[in-house]
Amino acid sequence: MMKLAVANIKGGVGKTTSSMYVAQAVVDRGGVATVYDADPQSSASLWADAARDNGEELGFKVLPANLSTLSRLGRDERPDVWRIVDAPPQGKLLQAAIESADFVLVPTSDSPMDLQQAWAMLDEARASRPAAVLVVRAEPYTSAYRQTLDALAEAGTPRFDTVIPKRQSIKKALGSRPRRLYEYRDLLTELQAIAKDLNGAKVVR
Ligand SMILES: Nc1ncnc2c1ncn2[C@@H]1O[C@H](COP(=O)(O)OP(=O)(O)O)[C@@H](O)[C@H]1O
Ligand SMILES: [Mg+2]
């Protein structure tokens, strides 16, 4: 089992989108996923409700989460069970989201300006959990993209090799079951390797 928190103190960086796409990628690969919506903006819940209204089957549950829920995410021995927390931008609930997780994914855009918040979030997360940055909504071949990746490399920031490009179909995915997962499939492959490492570490300890 893997418990993943998707967190950033900055809003509009792709937390909800990444939570939903990773969950769908898990399901498409035969696993079981649940998204815990811990953000008061409740975009993940809205997405699931809109999907239901549209008669779409997401294939995973989206549940509202509070401090109590997050402290009881529990443990499941099956390796293909994923609990994904769409974290809020601040406060006790953000801290609880981080502590509920085995690993923290920090999405950030390919704007160098957004990096400050991503680094701040990463530092906060890494005080208690392993964490890495995911560059999303990227426009490769632009100077902002290059600058962002250079700055991450220069700072030695842990990041996923997978980068999620900006895509119209991802932008319009709210309320639907993501049919094409694009680079999120590669991201899940990376996450599965991390999950395996984390589980191995537990056995050794
Ligand atoms: N890869 C992408 N390509 C295009 N638009 C994206 C992509 N990822 C996210 N978005 C859009 O960016 C906005 C913010 O994403 P969202 O997941 O709601 O962020 P957050 O949960 O951090 O507030 C939304 O309009 C979403 O559709
Ligand atoms: Mg959101």
Side-chain angles (χ1 to χ4, degrees):
M1 172 192 200
M2 175 74 152
K3 293 186 279 189
L4 180 74
V6 181
N8 196 323
I9 50 182
K10 184 170 165 39
V13 290
K15 293 185 296 292
T16 300
T17 303
S18 296
S19 300
M20 301 298 274
Y21 270 79
V22 169
Q24 193 65 57
V26 167
V27 169
D28 284 8
R29 216 165 270 186
V32 180
T34 308
V35 171
Y36 291 87
D37 184 4
D39 192 342
Q41 286 211 337
S42 55
S43 309
S45 304
L46 182 75
W47 188 318
D49 290 343
R52 196 170 310 115
D53 292 348
N54 296 337
E56 296 240 342
E57 192 58 61
L58 286 183
F60 58 90
K61 276 187 194 155
V62 178
L63 303 175
N66 53 36
L67 283 176
S68 176
T69 323
L70 293 179
S71 70
R72 289 175 176 76
L73 284 193
R75 183 66 48 212
D76 192 304
E77 292 312 314
R78 292 170 295 172
D80 58 349
V81 171
W82 289 65
R83 309 224 157 119
I84 300 162
V85 180
D86 185 6
Q90 59 185 24
K92 266 192 186 172
L93 206 53
L94 170 57
Q95 194 55 40
I98 290 167
E99 282 166 13
S100 74
D102 301 315
F103 193 89
V104 182
L105 184 157
V106 180
T108 190
S109 81
D110 64 356
S111 152
M113 262 183 64
D114 291 350
L115 275 183
Q116 306 307 325
Q117 283 107 326
W119 277 323
M121 182 70 252
L122 197 69
D123 285 347
E124 194 179 326
R126 290 177 85 198
S128 44
R129 293 292 182 271
V133 163
L134 172 70
V135 179
V136 301
R137 238 162 60 194
E139 296 179 281
Y141 314 112
T142 62
S143 56
Y145 174 78
R146 262 193 316 278
Q147 278 175 28
T148 302
L149 290 205
D150 287 351
L152 288 169
E154 206 169 298
T157 307
R159 74 163 177 94
F160 290 93
D161 292 332
T162 304
V163 167
I164 311 293
K166 185 172 185 174
R167 291 185 187 280
Q168 281 298 307
S169 68
I170 295 180
K171 194 188 263 187
K172 294 189 299 185
L174 181 105
S176 69
R177 174 194 180 111
R179 278 184 186 71
R180 290 198 57 187
L181 297 166
Y182 305 100
E183 292 75 11
Y184 278 105
R185 296 176 62 221
D186 306 321
L187 175 66
L188 180 60
T189 302
E190 282 194 72
L191 284 167
Q192 285 176 324
I194 292 170
K196 216 171 160 194
D197 280 355
L198 290 173
N199 277 323
K202 261 169 221 135
V203 172
V204 170
R205 209 187 295 140

